Amino acid sequence: MARLVLKFGGTSVGDIARIQNVARHVKREVDAGHHVAVVVSAMAGKTNELVGWCRDASPIHDAREYDAVVASGEQVTAGLLAITLQKMGINARSWQGWQIPIRTDGAHGAARIQEIDASEIVRRFEAEEQVAVIAGFQGIAPDNRIATLGRGGSDTSAVAVAAAIAADRCDIYTDVDGVYTTDPRIEPKARRMARISFEEMLEMASLGAKVLQVRSVELAMVHKVRTFVRSSFEDPDAPGMGDFDNPPGTLICDEDEIVEQQVVTGIAYSRDEAQISLRRVEDRPGVAAAIFGPLADAGVNVDMIVQNISESGDATDMTFTVPAGDLSKATAILEKAKAEMRYDALQSESGLTKVSVIGIGMRSHTGVAATAFKALAGRGINIKAITTSEIKISILIDGDYTELAVRALHGVYGLDKV
């Protein structure tokens, strides 16, 4: 007997027929003798509809009331799934975030989980074999009101619940059947990985892979929650679906569990990047803080940063990237504070893509970056900026070359070979 957390996203619970399919997945695990907690999202499209209603009611609205509205989508799904499970003869009960309780900070709309008291859920596991169906994406803030966790918050809820109940595994059911070496829509030869380390998944999630929300991967890594990504659209009773040790999908785990570590694990990409260059910035202590402080205060996320010192040593060029949607806001801030930042000229460019090569094997292998640069040069792709970390190389290129670059890098590292 094991403790499992099963999380189902919006497309998996999009209508009653899909909720009934989800219930079959849950029943399979219950019949195997496991204690099961289920975390559900709102039905596909429902959260967007609720957000739209809030904006229609008032473009500027109280964040606490916004949370009260948008959290209702998950409440509906949890209740419907509990009803469906009860009809199948399974003892199930729905829970909202505040009932557990899942305690958060006070940042309504983007709250962070601080503590979960799962003692009552565990008691019902042991005393009643009861399935807990939990509304994801929500908790209770210090002001005693519902707080939501931001987009993708149900993934975070699931991993947090798994940590709180000391689950043996957290299964994230979604509309894809695992984590791939790159986007299969760009590279048909992309392969589903059997295992990927927490660190690699964190890099892939933060660099454009949409399989899991970044905060959920961070939480899984901190608490060592073994996490499976698998498809909810597979037949719940198909051979192997109930295999506890090796179910179909991708296991996200500690790197110690990965016997054969490839040099490169995957290729991620993020479109709609923009580049800003500040020319001839006065080179003095505090100049970087003067530039990036106001951007941070305005909520502009700065990513790749490259600084070049002039020959004379008294001026520098500062180049960095921001999301394309924030380009106009960022340039307005920089132009307004030109006197304090002390630069001569501002140049910007949009329509760029960041392509990243990821792999824990990079720690012990040389030449990984050179291989990438050679592959891109061979296809006439110009590199605008480069940043590296211990397990990642990120390269900024013109957006028109995204597909070509992804395919080239995927092939040059042998990721298309079984």
Side-chain angles (χ1 to χ4, degrees):
M1 179 182 291
R3 285 182 188 170
L4 299 178
V5 172
L6 314 183
K7 183 267 175 179
F8 294 91
T11 53
S12 303
V13 293
D15 54 35
I16 295 299
R18 290 185 177 180
I19 289 174
Q20 290 169 337
N21 185 64
V22 163
R24 291 174 61 208
H25 282 288
V26 177
K27 186 176 187 300
R28 182 192 64 235
E29 304 297 355
V30 171
D31 289 347
H34 302 313
H35 289 155
V36 180
V38 188
V39 176
V40 292
S41 298
M43 293 178 173
K46 180 56 66 176
T47 300
N48 287 338
E49 182 181 34
L50 294 170
V51 170
W53 287 351
C54 288
R55 289 174 178 163
D56 290 345
S58 174
I60 300 174
H61 45 258
D62 188 324
R64 290 162 296 189
E65 300 307 333
Y66 168 92
D67 277 354
V69 173
V70 299
S72 65
E74 282 73 14
Q75 179 180 336
V76 169
T77 309
L80 289 173
L81 178 56
I83 289 170
T84 305
L85 288 169
Q86 289 169 1
K87 183 182 178 183
M88 297 168 71
I90 295 172
N91 180 10
R93 183 63 63 202
S94 68
W95 298 77
Q96 295 174 54
W98 62 267
Q99 292 175 303
I100 293 172
I102 297 173
R103 300 194 182 280
T104 74
D105 61 19
H108 285 276
R112 298 186 78 88
I113 296 173
Q114 295 185 326
E115 180 187 14
I116 298 179
D117 180 0
S119 57
E120 181 61 16
I121 287 175
V122 171
R123 188 193 69 78
R124 295 189 186 204
F125 279 166
E126 296 171 349
E128 305 174 34
E129 303 288 329
Q130 187 177 88
V131 172
V133 184
I134 301 167
F137 176 62
Q138 61 180 255
I140 183 167
D143 60 6
N144 223 32
R145 297 192 62 86
I146 292 172
T148 62
L149 309 181
R151 287 295 184 174
S154 291
D155 284 351
T156 304
S157 298
V159 174
V161 168
I165 68 171
D168 296 274
R169 200 175 69 218
C170 178
D171 289 357
I172 306 290
Y173 284 84
T174 181
D175 53 1
V176 295
D177 62 352
V179 181
Y180 280 72
T181 49
T182 195
D183 188 341
R185 295 169 298 181
I186 286 182
E187 176 49 87
K189 294 179 181 178
R191 295 181 297 106
R192 187 180 74 191
M193 291 178 274
R195 296 187 176 204
I196 183 172
S197 73
F198 290 122
E199 286 182 89
E200 290 169 322
M201 190 65 235
L202 185 59
E203 292 285 7
M204 291 192 76
S206 63
L207 293 167
K210 301 293 192 292
V211 178
L212 281 177
Q213 197 242 19
V214 175
R215 278 166 59 194
S216 69
V217 184
E218 289 176 343
L219 206 58
M221 183 165 66
V222 169
H223 294 283
K224 304 293 184 188
V225 176
R226 299 172 83 250
T227 305
F228 258 100
V229 177
R230 52 195 303 192
S231 172
S232 64
F233 298 115
E234 299 274 358
D235 182 352
D237 302 315
M241 288 297 286
D243 185 338
F244 181 78
D245 295 316
N246 294 292
T250 299
L251 173 65
I252 305 165
C253 58
D254 194 89
E255 66 179 273
D256 293 342
E257 292 193 54
I258 301 174
V259 180
E260 289 191 35
Q261 296 177 354
Q262 285 187 280
V263 178
V264 171
T265 300
I267 311 296
Y269 68 93
S270 176
R271 295 185 190 268
D272 297 323
E273 298 283 329
Q275 179 178 275
I276 296 174
S277 295
L278 301 180
R279 302 300 184 192
R280 295 174 297 281
V281 180
E282 184 178 315
D283 191 22
R284 57 182 174 80
V287 65
I291 293 169
F292 298 119
L295 293 174
D297 292 341
V300 176
N301 183 34
V302 175
D303 187 15
M304 308 173 81
I305 303 173
V306 179
Q307 183 175 358
N308 296 313
I309 305 298
S310 68
E311 221 173 285
S312 63
D314 60 356
T316 181
D317 287 344
M318 190 83 73
T319 299
F320 53 92
T321 62
V322 299
D326 287 338
L327 179 59
S328 57
K329 179 165 69 171
T331 53
I333 292 168
L334 294 169
E335 286 169 352
K336 184 178 179 181
K338 184 177 180 179
E340 293 81 19
M341 296 178 183
R342 301 186 189 181
Y343 64 86
D344 283 353
L346 184 153
Q347 297 171 339
S348 63
E349 182 181 4
S350 58
L352 306 178
T353 293
K354 178 175 62 179
V355 181
S356 301
V357 178
I358 300 158
I360 53 178
M362 290 185 194
R363 290 175 177 152
S364 55
H365 288 76
T366 60
V368 178
T371 299
F373 303 153
K374 186 176 180 180
L376 296 180
R379 288 158 179 80
I381 301 173
N382 184 47
I383 297 173
K384 296 179 177 293
I386 304 162
T387 58
T388 63
S389 74
E390 196 177 25
I391 65 167
K392 172 198 70 180
I393 302 163
S394 290
I395 301 166
L396 191 67
I397 62 172
D398 191 295
D400 292 340
Y401 294 98
T402 303
E403 289 84 357
L404 180 60
V406 169
R407 287 194 294 268
L409 294 172
H410 192 268
V412 78
Y413 292 113
L415 295 176
D416 51 356
K417 295 179 175 62
V418 177

